[in-house]
Amino acid sequence: MTKRLLVAVIIGVVTTAALMGLAFVAASADLETLAKVLFWQNSLLQSLAPLGNIGTAEHPVYEGTPLNFLAFLASIPVGIIVYSWLAYWALHRLRRAA
């Protein structure tokens, strides 16, 4: 069980890092929707953090706050936890099937 947990956490870290990198590449290629899907946990947490409008009502210009930075930082462990849990579940199912 400990080995399976360690393997699952490694899979979670690698998956989170890979999808984060792919999201950065997609955003650089002006594929914003794909970037948001690949790094979904950041998109979810960023939607909860308010943006400050430093423009006018007719021409809004939004600026991030420290909460947006904290949401970004929190999205990394969220991804690791979710993907580790999924990997652990898949490894458990594979072991039971074998």
Side-chain angles (χ1 to χ4, degrees):
M1 182 173 152
T2 305
K3 182 180 176 184
R4 189 179 335 151
L5 181 61
L6 181 61
V7 170
V9 170
I10 291 170
I11 291 171
V13 168
V14 169
T15 302
T16 301
L19 291 176
M20 194 165 110
L22 289 172
F24 178 76
V25 170
S28 297
D30 290 330
L31 300 171
E32 290 297 322
T33 302
L34 179 60
K36 288 179 180 181
V37 169
L38 290 172
F39 202 30
W40 61 269
Q41 65 272 25
N42 185 51
S43 302
L44 175 68
L45 293 177
Q46 291 295 338
S47 70
L48 300 174
L51 293 173
N53 182 7
I54 59 172
T56 63
E58 296 81 29
H59 297 90
V61 177
Y62 294 103
E63 177 179 62
T65 66
L67 289 176
N68 294 102
F69 181 67
L70 290 175
F72 168 74
L73 292 178
S75 68
I76 297 169
V78 166
I80 291 171
I81 290 168
V82 169
Y83 293 126
S84 295
W85 182 84
L86 289 172
Y88 185 84
W89 178 80
L91 292 169
H92 177 72
R93 297 282 296 189
L94 286 172
R95 186 165 186 261
R96 280 185 47 195

